[in-house]
Amino acid sequence: MRHFLADDDLGPDEQAQVLRLAAELKAAPYDAKPLAGPRTVAMIFDKPTLRTQASFAAGIAELGGHPMLVDGALAGIGVRESVPDVARVLGRQASAIVWRTFEQSALEQMAEHAGVPVVNALTDLFHPCQLLADLLTVQEHRGQLAGLRVAFLGDAACNMGNSWLLAGATAGMHVILAAPEGYLPSEEMFARATAITSYAGGSVAGTHDAVAAVTGADVVVTDTWVSMGKEGESAARERVLAGYRLTPELLAHAGPEALVLHCLPAYRGKEIAAEVLDGPQSVVWDEAENRRHAQKAVLTYLVGAAGDSDG
Ligand code: NVA
């Protein structure tokens, strides 16, 4: 049984295959019906959501399936029932489970016991569906991924920073994260990404120097300074991260051709200036749309693989 719990659950060839499929599904959104039945996909959100819920629900419907929203609070996952018991129950109702939650270890438990593919719709540690959408967006605008240079600015210790390390390395990109002391990914995460570069090409690095990171970048990425669950640290984070704001002046070091990505929600005037988010280099609305196409591709891939292993 294949799952998509972290970016490196797809190797380089598989990631490329999923991205090719995403582009095909984007070109003909209503042609492929691998969830015809309709087969149900359970979606559970333990944190706020807009893009993820909307894009999974629309995408599952386009694949001929039925998106079933399971209220995590009502279900009381891990409180009223253990994660393994919830997994066993949902696995008997649904062909796949999409879960946004806090702990990566809870998601891993779900995958261990569900008997159907489990997809990470964001945890504290990773946001791999977002990365597939980001890579699809870059590929559309640049025609390639391998060899491109990506600069990620701000709170690089969050799920997006970790996911850029793993997914960017898998795509053979050169990923440089710029963040203040204490806001870079763990050494273990860098080691995990470095291991990928040994067979996928590309490179990963961290720095405290935002200008050095952005200089020569093909893609400049940022994310909120205050990830979901960190709201209590807002004031301190805004102070510490202020030097990493993506302003027009900073973006100028990357050159006029560089793409700007942001997974959204964005806070104009904080991690990104309004002129940059709303400016000509920003591809954030393509990026948001591409969630649907990328997630349709990964669901198609996983449900197809589950069908093959059943047979
Ligand atoms: N790092 C952000 C991503 C939002 C999609 C968060 O976890 O809140």
Side-chain angles (χ1 to χ4, degrees):
M1 184 63 51
R2 295 293 302 271
H3 305 284
F4 191 44
L5 308 182
D7 305 84
D8 54 356
D9 283 342
L10 296 178
D13 292 346
E14 293 172 320
Q15 185 194 67
Q17 188 182 337
V18 167
L19 291 173
R20 263 196 311 277
L21 180 58
E24 285 167 23
L25 291 168
K26 184 169 182 175
Y30 311 113
D31 284 7
K33 303 285 178 207
L35 297 178
R39 295 169 73 173
T40 291
V41 176
M43 308 185 300
I44 319 164
F45 296 99
D46 295 337
K47 294 184 181 183
T49 176
L50 167 68
R51 273 151 298 281
T52 303
Q53 182 177 335
S55 57
F56 265 110
I60 291 162
E62 286 179 7
L63 293 174
H66 165 64
M68 178 175 68
L69 189 58
V70 176
D71 187 322
L74 275 183
I77 301 171
V79 180
R80 190 167 156 265
E81 293 190 69
S82 68
V83 174
D85 283 1
V86 170
R88 292 178 183 113
V89 169
L90 290 180
R92 299 292 183 101
Q93 304 295 345
S95 296
I97 298 169
V98 170
W99 192 16
R100 166 169 292 188
T101 193
F102 294 83
E103 299 288 335
Q104 186 72 13
S105 58
L107 191 78
E108 286 165 3
Q109 265 193 311
M110 184 76 89
E112 196 179 324
H113 297 282
V116 296
V118 172
V119 175
N120 182 349
L122 182 147
T123 59
D124 291 347
L125 220 49
F126 300 113
H127 197 3
C129 289
Q130 180 67 55
L131 258 290
L132 288 179
D134 289 12
L135 296 180
L136 179 63
T137 308
V138 174
Q139 196 162 270
E140 282 174 350
H141 286 268
R142 286 288 171 274
Q144 67 175 101
L145 296 173
L148 294 186
R149 188 181 154 94
V150 183
F152 183 103
L153 302 172
D155 176 17
C158 79
N159 40 25
M160 284 299 294
N162 289 336
S163 276
W164 262 107
L165 276 187
L166 300 189
T170 302
M173 302 175 95
H174 299 286
V175 181
I176 179 153
L177 310 179
E181 187 84 44
Y183 290 84
L184 282 170
S186 64
E187 277 177 31
E188 293 73 28
M189 201 59 72
F190 271 107
R192 188 165 157 177
T194 301
I196 297 171
T197 65
S198 68
Y199 54 82
S203 62
V204 294
T207 177
H208 300 313
D209 185 340
V211 171
V214 168
T215 300
D218 300 292
V219 182
V220 182
V221 191
T222 191
D223 183 17
T224 179
W225 290 339
V226 187
S227 283
M228 295 178 275
K230 301 280 186 198
E231 291 80 1
E233 301 174 18
S234 295
R237 283 170 171 260
E238 281 172 27
R239 248 192 335 272
V240 177
L241 289 156
Y244 295 82
R245 175 173 300 125
L246 182 51
T247 59
E249 296 72 33
L250 188 52
L251 183 60
H253 292 279
E257 299 299 320
L259 300 173
V260 170
L261 295 180
H262 191 309
C263 64
L264 307 173
Y267 299 93
R268 291 172 175 81
K270 293 194 173 166
E271 77 277 3
I272 189 164
E275 308 92 286
V276 175
L277 188 78
D278 302 316
Q281 292 174 252
S282 167
V283 289
V284 300
W285 309 117
D286 290 348
E287 187 186 358
E289 177 190 331
N290 282 341
R291 294 291 304 279
R292 175 162 46 94
H293 311 301
Q295 289 157 191
K296 285 174 68 179
V298 84
L299 280 174
T300 300
Y301 187 76
L302 294 177
V303 169
D308 293 347
S309 61
D310 288 352

